[in-house]
Amino acid sequence: MTSLQQAQQLRDGFWHLLCHRSELPSSGDYLKMEWLGEEVVVYNDQGNLLAFDNLCPHRGTRFFTETHGNAPLACPYHGWSYRAGAMHIPCRERYAQADLDNAKLHTLQLDWCADFLFAAPAPRMTLDEQLGDTYALLADISFNIAGRSDVNAYAYECDWRIALENALEPLHVPFVHPESLAELQLGDGSNHFTPWTSVWQAELGNASMAKKLRSIKRLFQLDQQYEGYQSLYLFPFTMLSSTYSYSYSLQHFFPSAQPWRTHFSSRLLNGAASPSSAGALQGFFDSSARMNRQVFDEDHAICKRIAKDAADNPRFGILSSDEEKIAHFRACLLAAAGN
Ligand code: FES
Ligand SMILES: [Fe+2]
């Protein structure tokens, strides 16, 4: 199996956390992502969310060209549109009935883990089975999120596995992120593994920063908080990381159909603010977004320097004890290919 076929198999057979419910609060809200030469759009159709491949069933025109926004689901080519669960086709009588019967959006299967929306083209297991123990943690996190404050999407110039493995290990942090993530002085922390997920939790060694972070807790309304840095990995392409649960970076490392390219995106999801502090927190979310952007640019810069074939070359398979999550990821890849 080529690495492209492997990526396709992972995309099609697994559930992917595409978004949080609060990212698409109004009818017409949409989000667009790319994977393997195709796109996936999540769309709010009068309160119902659907995920589909962004293609008009008439002639295959892409409905949306921006990464996110609010617009009717209407094709600019011949005016076909989708509303309230149905295709609306101008001059219907000019088409054969059999063609009209096939005029449907190409949708993905959906499931929810509390307020997180997952989608899969042809899942090989239930979402419960795929998430295992991590289901409950993810559900608790979802109830503490109330919106989005940043969308950062671009192509990493490297294989998706290189980008993801970089996101899975803290060993590089002092070298690659000396003035950003390293300032937290994260401890060794601990890992928790399920068959298809891993969770890393680590305390902050920077006491003054920890004190500052504890002091803003009253601005939030959180039923669940991890007082430290927490990073969840959801096989195959998704990470969700947070400092003190005040905001979450939802990251996708979607494979591209072109070699040595990854469709990276990070969206900043906001922790729920207490009623009087929504305005006061805007500056905090803006600075978190800026910091995340810097961290991902630093990650991209190092990932570009890695040998293009490193993910397939056993010569570069050396792992330290801090890189257990990479070993788990590689075991998941083998298990997925063997099933
Ligand atoms: S291609 Fe969309 S309406 Fe014709
Ligand atoms: Fe990094």
Side-chain angles (χ1 to χ4, degrees):
M1 190 164 43
T2 65
S3 54
L4 186 60
Q5 288 165 331
Q6 177 194 40
Q8 275 161 346
Q9 198 187 60
L10 297 175
R11 177 192 62 185
D12 294 347
F14 284 84
W15 291 99
H16 310 283
L17 194 180
L18 291 188
C19 64
H20 187 266
R21 194 190 295 275
S22 65
E23 293 187 83
L24 301 147
S26 309
S27 188
D29 285 345
Y30 69 87
L31 261 174
K32 178 172 77 68
M33 290 155 262
E34 277 184 72
W35 50 11
L36 290 159
E38 295 171 24
E39 294 180 330
V40 58
V41 162
V42 185
Y43 187 78
N44 181 328
D45 174 39
Q46 304 189 354
N48 290 319
L49 294 192
L50 62 132
F52 71 108
D53 66 0
N54 197 27
L55 298 180
C56 175
H58 181 216
R59 201 69 57 73
T61 305
R62 292 158 68 233
F63 282 102
F64 298 111
T65 54
E66 305 295 322
T67 54
H68 62 292
N70 181 285
L73 214 180
C75 180
Y77 203 174
H78 314 95
W80 288 28
S81 63
Y82 183 89
R83 195 168 65 248
M87 286 303 308
H88 297 269
I89 300 173
C91 312
R92 271 190 102 80
E93 65 286 353
R94 301 192 192 179
Y95 297 89
Q97 188 55 47
D99 288 338
L100 289 174
D101 292 344
N102 284 328
K104 295 189 180 102
L105 297 179
H106 191 74
T107 54
L108 280 72
Q109 294 192 46
L110 299 182
D111 202 352
W112 292 89
C113 170
D115 284 332
F116 281 128
L117 180 70
F118 284 75
R124 53 164 88 177
M125 62 187 104
T126 66
L127 180 59
D128 264 22
E129 285 165 348
Q130 189 181 315
L131 294 177
D133 282 356
T134 304
Y135 193 102
L137 173 62
L138 209 51
D140 282 347
I141 290 173
S142 90
F143 293 134
N144 287 281
I145 287 173
R148 183 183 70 216
S149 52
D150 193 35
V151 177
N152 181 22
Y154 56 99
Y156 268 27
E157 292 169 38
C158 66
D159 186 284
W160 72 274
R161 294 164 294 172
I162 287 176
L164 189 64
E165 291 196 350
N166 169 72
L168 284 170
E169 52 91 351
L171 190 62
H172 71 275
V173 170
F175 303 98
V176 173
H177 308 296
E179 284 161 19
S180 51
L181 197 52
E183 306 238 305
L184 300 179
Q185 298 169 17
L186 298 176
D188 287 346
S190 60
N191 287 312
H192 175 76
F193 296 103
T194 72
W196 305 107
T197 73
S198 60
V199 179
W200 183 56
Q201 294 182 320
E203 291 183 358
L204 271 58
N206 182 333
S208 70
M209 199 173 278
K211 190 171 165 204
K212 221 188 273 172
L213 285 164
R214 267 197 303 276
S215 75
I216 60 168
K217 185 172 178 177
R218 63 192 162 75
L219 301 175
F220 291 87
Q221 203 165 39
L222 304 175
D223 327 315
Q224 189 264 8
Q225 183 183 30
Y226 175 70
E227 293 200 342
Y229 182 83
Q230 172 167 262
S231 175
L232 282 69
Y233 169 55
L234 310 177
F235 185 81
F237 307 134
T238 307
M239 306 274 311
L240 185 67
S241 57
S242 177
T243 304
Y244 273 64
S245 308
Y246 295 146
S247 63
Y248 287 85
S249 160
L250 171 61
Q251 300 142 49
H252 291 126
F253 298 92
F254 288 138
S256 164
Q258 293 166 272
W260 309 309
R261 271 173 93 78
T262 299
H263 297 295
F264 164 75
S265 73
S266 164
R267 304 202 306 271
L268 194 74
L269 306 180
N270 305 339
S274 53
S276 55
S277 56
L281 282 175
Q282 198 49 53
F284 173 79
F285 293 136
D286 290 347
S287 77
S288 304
R290 272 196 305 278
M291 176 61 74
N292 282 352
R293 282 174 177 255
Q294 180 181 341
V295 168
F296 293 122
D297 284 349
E298 289 163 353
D299 282 326
H300 180 213
I302 197 69
C303 287
K304 280 199 294 198
R305 287 177 66 151
I306 297 174
K308 288 195 167 9
D309 70 341
D312 291 308
N313 191 336
R315 205 178 129 199
F316 305 113
I318 301 170
L319 295 179
S320 83
S321 60
D322 296 331
E323 297 177 291
E324 262 184 290
K325 288 180 71 174
I326 295 184
H328 169 267
F329 165 65
R330 292 180 184 174
C332 287
L333 286 176
L334 288 175
N339 278 344

